Amino acid sequence: MAEWPPPDESLSGTMPVVETVRKGTAAAPGIAIGRIYLVDRRRLKVPKRHLQEDEIESEVERFRRALDVSDRQLERVKEKIEARFDDHYNIIAAHQLILHDEHLVDETIRNIREKGINAEWALRKTVEHIRGVFDSIEDDYFRERRSDVEFVGERVLRNLLGRDVALTPPPDAIVVAYDLSPADTANFYRAAVAGLATDAGGNTSHTAIIARAHEIPAVVGLEDITALVGNGDLVIVDGTSGVVILNPSPETVALYRERARLEAAQGVALLSNVELPAVSQDDVHIGLVANIDHLDEIRGALGYGAEGIGLFRTEYLFMGADQPPDEQAHYEHACAVVEALGGRPVTFRTVDLGADKMARFLTDHQEVNPALGLRSIRLCLTREVRPLFVQQLRGLLRAGATGNVRIMFPMISGVQELSLALEVLDEVREGLRREGTPFGEEVKVGIMIEMPSAAMVADHLARRVDFFSIGTNDLIQYTLAVDRVNEHVAYLYEPLHPALLRLIDMVVRAAAAEGTAVSLCGEMAGDAAVAPVLLGLGLTELSMNAVAIPQVKQVIRNSRVSELRELAQDALKMASAPEIKEAVWRYLERART
Ligand code: PEP
Ligand code: MG
């Protein structure tokens, strides 16, 4: 592809239109082709003025009025959000809280009064100060939340300056911005925005979350896309692969139109298998269940054909909260999950905090190497955190009396650690019995296998639990020594590495020998080009992001498990991932025809 920027006009005569490809983070799948609506939010200049003594109180008043106006605007934004987009609604509600937060309001007023400066300048100083505090937080999730304060600050600033606050892109536009606030995007689905591309943001940024919820193809984290484009330029946003193509040639546009048509047709065709069973050509049923983080994802997961929840990550109950949830909160939450599932099974993983998932009440817990540190079950077994763990176990066991609940411990390294966790569980059960509190005596207990050490002693572990769930996201990280959140080593993060397949094989065989159930819940379970190997290794249940279920089901329905066993046996003998990929690809081609 040609370079950007194009050669200097004075040297090249007329400025050529150059096709340019930029890679970012794929935030919401789908392909959009259209004209750019450039949102120029960053260039808001703040006037700076020292006040006369007698102007100070009226300036404070002016600031308060701008807060009120901003509050009313956000209230109207909330009214526009459809009920099914709860997350979006809650984010706007959180922005209203920030608007009244003492750190923002009091500090700005103090700046006006003590420094004798105008409201815009005082507000900018406050927002910069708060941003500095956020910048020092190690956890990505919370660091990204500083954008909430910036969005709120910018709205108040626009109101102080009498500038327009609403974005109304023309229909079918592709919105390109440095970042977009949740209030900005509230208008978007109404105006039928075709796609989004932003400089800032990662997978957990609001733009990404909201784009996925509204099914708007989006690429985020492009770094400098706003500097490269002009209003009205033609652009392709490929939210499936995370690529943006500026000024595409007619051939590229034709290619992407065809891809978009294929993706749409595939999506519709695949969704038609939602009601069909996940049974192979040789009659083997494979359980397809979903990984979720929130209660409100259940309806969507069932819509994609999930037979239950194979991994409920409970960290999110802790991460958003100032205080950890208590027993009753766990109980009520788990009962609501059971009810929403209408008899289908759910596996709750006990809280897996630490590393990339930090809770606010644990922020003083800093480590040099958090992925190898005091995280997950290790943290739960410490004297400080153990009471929270006990409350969770009590809540989950009690909810187990109301439905099909399983409990799973994360990050178990071996038998000793498992025994410690089981001891706590036994004590909790004993306590409930003593008090006469009803709970699920039959609740099955399992562990995640996500460390090489656990895989290697899976035979011992299998005797002590009801089920295993292989967590390959971490198992890959620890086996290949590749930090799963470090983009510089992402090229080494390889699910089809033969070392990993050998470990999975070891775990499945150890489980089978003891009659222990085994499933796999890492992201690779939802990759239709990897799942055949997993089935061949003997897995009969896969837990994945629900949107991947129709595609994996399609592969299952086209395959013969007896042939996949041969494929997996061959793969186990191969030396490298490319060889294995080639063999899988050949199999899939044959199965399709
Ligand atoms: C895993 O490690 O594979 C897993 C499913 O858990 P998480 O992604 O939450 O670490
Ligand atoms: Mg994990």
Side-chain angles (χ1 to χ4, degrees):
M1 288 297 160
E3 289 269 310
W4 187 271
D8 188 322
E9 207 175 339
S10 58
L11 299 176
S12 61
T14 54
M15 177 89 85
V17 175
V18 184
E19 181 172 294
T20 309
V21 180
R22 307 296 291 198
K23 180 90 179 80
T25 300
I31 290 169
I33 304 171
R35 298 275 164 195
I36 287 176
Y37 175 80
L38 183 60
V39 180
D40 187 7
R41 283 289 205 217
R42 286 213 109 189
R43 292 174 210 154
L44 207 57
K45 261 190 103 62
V46 172
K48 294 181 178 169
R49 196 163 71 80
H50 284 281
L51 304 171
Q52 304 293 334
E53 195 57 42
D54 60 354
E55 288 177 303
I56 287 184
E57 284 316 306
S58 58
E59 192 66 0
V60 170
E61 253 328 286
R62 195 166 74 83
F63 173 60
R64 287 196 196 279
R65 274 200 306 278
L67 290 176
D68 284 347
V69 172
S70 305
D71 195 25
R72 284 200 299 276
Q73 286 165 346
L74 289 174
E75 197 56 42
R76 282 200 296 276
V77 170
K78 257 185 1 193
E79 283 161 16
K80 279 198 260 169
I81 297 173
E82 287 173 27
R84 66 198 168 100
F85 298 120
D86 299 6
D87 277 356
H88 199 162
Y89 185 95
N90 293 339
I91 294 167
I92 303 294
H95 282 193
Q96 282 180 295
L97 291 179
I98 294 174
L99 203 53
H100 300 293
D101 188 278
E102 55 181 297
H103 294 103
L104 187 86
V105 178
D106 295 358
E107 190 175 323
T108 304
I109 293 177
R110 216 173 21 253
N111 280 339
I112 298 174
R113 288 197 174 127
E114 288 173 11
K115 300 197 168 83
I117 56 177
N118 62 326
E120 290 88 342
W121 190 5
L123 174 65
R124 174 60 54 92
K125 276 183 176 299
T126 306
V127 170
E128 273 166 11
H129 176 224
I130 298 175
R131 191 170 51 204
V133 174
F134 271 93
D135 280 344
S136 62
I137 297 176
E138 293 243 339
D139 179 79
D140 286 348
Y141 180 84
F142 287 111
R143 216 178 28 245
E144 264 187 25
R145 297 287 81 82
R146 83 188 146 199
S147 61
D148 290 305
V149 180
E150 286 171 356
F151 289 141
V152 171
E154 195 198 88
R155 174 170 293 272
V156 181
L157 197 56
R158 283 190 174 262
N159 282 317
L160 281 167
L161 292 167
R163 297 279 185 87
D164 197 10
V165 284
L167 287 182
T168 38
D172 292 328
I174 303 228
V175 175
V176 175
Y178 171 73
D179 199 1
L180 290 163
S181 82
D184 292 334
T185 46
N187 290 325
F188 282 4
Y189 56 96
R190 294 176 174 257
V193 164
L196 302 175
T198 60
D199 290 341
N203 230 339
T204 56
S205 66
H206 291 319
T207 315
I209 294 168
I210 290 165
R212 281 195 290 273
H214 293 263
E215 297 178 12
I216 301 173
V219 180
V220 300
L222 285 153
E223 292 182 1
D224 58 354
I225 191 81
T226 46
L228 303 181
V229 299
N231 241 331
D233 286 356
L234 187 63
V235 67
I236 298 173
V237 171
D238 179 351
T240 309
S241 55
V243 163
V244 166
I245 304 170
L246 305 172
N247 301 315
S249 68
E251 296 74 31
T252 309
V253 171
L255 180 77
Y256 272 86
R257 278 204 204 292
E258 179 59 13
R259 271 195 202 166
R261 199 186 58 72
L262 274 176
E263 271 194 17
Q266 266 170 5
V268 173
L270 284 174
L271 279 175
S272 66
N273 80 15
V274 159
E275 301 293 329
L276 300 175
V279 174
S280 69
Q281 297 277 318
D282 50 352
D283 259 346
V284 181
H285 173 257
I286 305 296
L288 295 182
V289 285
N291 296 347
I292 61 169
D293 308 315
H294 291 284
L295 171 66
D296 56 15
E297 289 172 59
I298 292 179
R299 197 150 50 100
L302 300 182
Y304 283 109
E307 295 165 38
I309 303 303
L311 169 64
F312 199 117
R313 293 181 167 101
T314 60
E315 304 63 88
Y316 293 91
L317 287 171
F318 292 75
M319 283 168 68
D322 284 326
Q323 290 302 321
D326 61 8
E327 173 185 336
Q328 190 60 17
H330 284 296
Y331 171 70
E332 285 170 15
H333 174 260
C335 288
V337 170
V338 166
E339 194 184 327
L341 282 168
R344 297 174 188 87
V346 51
T347 301
F348 285 103
R349 177 174 74 185
T350 60
V351 64
D352 184 28
L353 290 173
D356 56 333
K357 289 177 284 196
M358 250 321 167
R360 221 174 287 164
F361 55 91
L362 286 173
T363 43
D364 57 345
H365 172 85
Q366 303 279 350
E367 294 178 311
V368 176
N369 204 343
L372 301 181
L374 189 59
R375 59 170 293 205
S376 193
I377 194 75
R378 304 168 178 181
L379 192 60
C380 287
L381 294 172
T382 59
R383 191 142 33 96
E384 295 73 29
V385 181
R386 186 182 152 126
L388 308 185
F389 183 46
V390 166
Q391 303 245 330
Q392 180 171 40
L393 292 176
R394 283 180 61 97
L396 291 176
L397 281 172
R398 282 173 54 204
T402 69
N404 199 345
V405 168
R406 308 198 304 175
I407 294 179
M408 172 161 78
F409 298 127
M411 295 285 295
I412 293 289
S413 57
V415 168
Q416 272 178 299
E417 202 166 35
L418 173 61
S419 302
L420 292 175
L422 290 176
E423 247 169 57
V424 180
L425 186 67
D426 280 343
E427 279 167 28
V428 168
R429 282 202 195 102
E430 202 38 54
L432 290 167
R433 272 188 213 114
R434 252 197 328 270
E435 300 157 18
T437 307
F439 71 97
E441 289 274 4
E442 305 301 317
V443 167
K444 298 247 186 297
V445 177
I447 56 172
M448 295 199 59
I449 302 285
E450 43 191 347
M451 293 189 193
S453 61
M456 294 172 94
V457 296
D459 51 343
H460 293 292
L461 294 168
R463 276 174 227 139
R464 292 163 167 85
V465 292
D466 299 312
F467 66 93
F468 284 162
S469 186
I470 308 177
T472 47
N473 299 341
D474 278 312
L475 189 59
I476 297 169
Q477 151 164 281
Y478 296 127
T479 304
L480 305 182
V482 175
D483 180 350
R484 62 190 263 193
V485 295
N486 181 339
E487 70 274 21
H488 303 299
V489 287
Y491 71 101
L492 291 169
Y493 193 89
E494 179 48 79
L496 285 177
H497 193 295
L500 189 80
L501 298 188
R502 288 182 189 195
L503 286 175
I504 295 173
D505 179 52
M506 211 167 185
V507 176
V508 173
R509 281 191 290 114
E514 293 297 330
T516 302
V518 59
S519 65
L520 188 143
C521 65
E523 286 300 305
M524 69 192 277
D527 185 338
V530 172
V533 182
L534 301 177
L535 303 178
L537 288 171
L539 284 152
T540 53
E541 184 178 273
L542 300 176
S543 191
M544 63 194 74
N545 186 334
V547 291
I549 288 179
Q551 212 169 358
V552 172
K553 192 190 280 185
Q554 192 65 19
V555 171
I556 294 167
R557 291 178 57 82
N558 287 342
S559 306
R560 301 188 77 81
V561 170
S562 55
E563 291 172 4
L564 295 180
R565 286 206 191 101
E566 285 170 30
L567 172 72
Q569 287 313 308
D570 292 345
L572 285 170
K573 290 183 211 118
M574 289 175 188
S576 68
E579 272 180 77
I580 298 170
K581 281 185 192 161
E582 165 89 28
V584 178
W585 186 80
R586 268 191 271 111
Y587 178 82
L588 287 175
E589 278 298 295
R590 269 206 315 280
R592 240 196 301 269
T593 52

